[in-house]
Amino acid sequence: MSAVHSRDVDSPRGAYLAGSVAVLPFLAGTVPFGIVTGIATRAAGLSFWESVAITLLVFSGTAQIAALPLMVAGAPVLVVVFTALVISLRFIIYSAAAAPHFRNLSLAWRLLLGYFNTDTGFALFMRKMADHPDFVHRHWYYLGGGNMVALSWIVATVAGIEAGAQVPATWRLEFAATLGILALMGPFVRSRPELVAAMVGGGVALAAAALPLKLGLVCGALAGIAAGTLAERAIAENVR
Amino acid sequence: MTNHVAEYGWALWGIILGMAMVTYLNRAALFIVSDRFQLPHGWQRALRFAPAAALSAIAIPDLFLHQGQIVVSLDNIRLIAGLSGLMVAILTHSSVLAIIVGMAVLHGLQRLAG
């Protein structure tokens, strides 16, 4: 393992290629989900170029899928944007762990790597750094993996966007976005406090659904975060 | 359910650019300031709950509400299809399979009801 590491990554190019190759097994999840996201985006009624723009610029399946039912319901612009903000807050956690490794890079590098901060890229990078804390060309490794994820995401979603245009409305594919949200919750609901956050978030949003401007969603998200934090504290105190 | 996407007009580009901006800032913020700032531990812990809370706050009302009313019965086919999809996701860890099964249940029940 470490022999392979030292041969592969003692040049920027080698590190870039090693990152690109290491990410390949993870793409088995990215590609089908990208296709589904593309189909759902088009089925929700966005035009071809709107769909391509959202997938290129937002570049987050979770945020894109979550925004679709809100747009179909005609939620205010700021509520949709706020939702994307809350859902992508998790990237702050990922970058909190990864950021110290990039402290000495130029600002241009840090701005560039920011775009490629993804669930997959983070998992891969942190594993590599745990094995090789002194990895010099780490940013090239991160960029290689990130470029590969972005490339496959864009190709897969555009394929889905093309396919989605052919689907008749009676298939009710807009519901695929809601199913996608439920399926995506899995990795984020692994512990008891996370389950509390999900149940309180969903419960409050349902109870407050009559509020105007989809503000029930905003209340639910904030209440869920607070409840998760309190539950975690309560469990820790009980253990003690 | 009526689709209101067309009513946004140019405001849809506001949504796309706004979403792009907030997701990029969340991704890049700590990289940008990494030479002089690290996120306090308490904040990191609280932020972990954001995806579970927000995703659930979108999906739960979508499943339970039918024309503004909470409907918990076998007539609510979105609820049943959603729960089926959720079960598949929990059992198989495959979001694509969950979507396929959930859509199949939705269409099966729709055909039975119609």
Side-chain angles (χ1 to χ4, degrees):
Chain A
M1 181 71 190
S2 57
V4 172
H5 172 83
S6 61
R7 193 188 62 229
D8 273 357
V9 296
D10 49 13
S11 70
R13 212 186 122 169
Y16 183 90
L17 287 175
S20 314
V21 171
V23 83
L24 289 179
F26 292 92
L27 300 183
T30 308
V31 168
F33 194 64
I35 294 173
V36 171
T37 303
I39 293 175
T41 306
R42 200 68 199 277
L46 277 74
S47 74
F48 177 81
W49 286 111
E50 288 160 350
S51 307
V52 170
I54 202 167
T55 208
L56 267 176
L57 297 175
V58 179
F59 181 44
S60 161
T62 316
Q64 288 167 235
I65 284 275
L68 291 178
L70 301 178
M71 291 195 267
V72 169
V77 171
L78 283 180
V79 170
V80 185
V81 173
F82 174 84
T83 306
L85 185 143
V86 174
I87 284 170
S88 55
L89 279 177
R90 70 184 190 284
F91 291 121
I92 293 188
I93 319 271
Y94 301 164
S95 51
H101 296 296
F102 299 133
R103 202 166 33 208
N104 299 322
L105 294 177
S106 69
L107 180 63
W109 258 106
R110 284 178 280 142
L111 289 170
L112 175 69
L113 293 183
Y115 178 78
F116 296 104
N117 182 5
T118 60
D119 307 49
T120 312
F122 169 77
L124 192 70
F125 180 73
M126 292 314 287
R127 206 170 61 187
K128 188 73 173 175
M129 292 313 293
D131 291 346
H132 305 280
D134 303 324
F135 188 4
V136 177
H137 299 295
R138 57 184 75 161
H139 47 302
W140 286 101
Y141 182 87
Y142 191 89
L143 187 65
N147 283 355
M148 209 60 163
V149 172
L151 183 70
S152 54
W153 177 253
I154 288 160
V155 170
T157 42
V158 171
I161 289 164
E162 287 284 359
Q166 323 293 328
V167 173
T170 52
W171 287 19
R172 298 185 60 175
L173 269 187
E174 80 286 348
F175 188 64
T178 304
L179 288 165
I181 296 169
L182 289 169
L184 283 175
M185 282 171 61
F188 301 118
V189 190
R190 288 254 164 87
S191 68
R192 230 179 303 172
E194 284 169 342
L195 184 62
V196 170
M199 294 187 47
V200 171
V204 169
L206 183 60
L211 287 182
L213 307 178
K214 283 252 170 196
L215 286 175
L217 163 65
V218 177
C219 296
L222 296 177
I225 295 173
T229 310
L230 291 176
E232 186 177 55
R233 205 169 295 169
I235 289 170
E237 271 162 24
N238 273 344
V239 169
R240 242 189 293 134
Chain B
M1 207 161 74
T2 336
N3 189 322
H4 297 280
V5 168
E7 293 159 26
Y8 283 115
W10 286 101
L12 192 67
W13 286 95
I15 292 181
I16 295 173
L17 295 177
M19 285 178 68
M21 198 174 70
V22 295
T23 38
Y24 177 74
L25 281 179
N26 275 330
R27 282 183 215 277
L30 288 188
F31 284 6
I32 297 169
V33 299
S34 63
D35 47 352
R36 56 214 122 102
F37 174 80
Q38 285 194 32
L39 193 68
H41 197 65
W43 279 84
Q44 286 192 40
R45 300 192 75 80
L47 289 178
R48 285 204 331 264
F49 299 113
L55 292 173
S56 169
I58 299 168
I60 298 295
D62 224 29
L63 294 183
F64 283 90
L65 289 180
H66 185 69
Q67 294 173 343
Q69 301 293 316
I70 296 178
V71 179
V72 186
S73 80
L74 291 178
D75 294 337
N76 186 349
I77 59 173
R78 292 166 66 92
L79 178 60
I80 302 190
L83 292 179
S84 319
L86 185 62
M87 288 299 292
V88 173
I90 291 170
L91 293 175
T92 66
H93 297 281
S94 161
S95 39
V96 173
L97 196 61
I99 291 170
I100 292 171
V101 171
M103 289 307 295
V105 171
L106 184 80
H107 281 277
L109 290 174
Q110 204 171 23
R111 200 150 298 173
L112 281 178

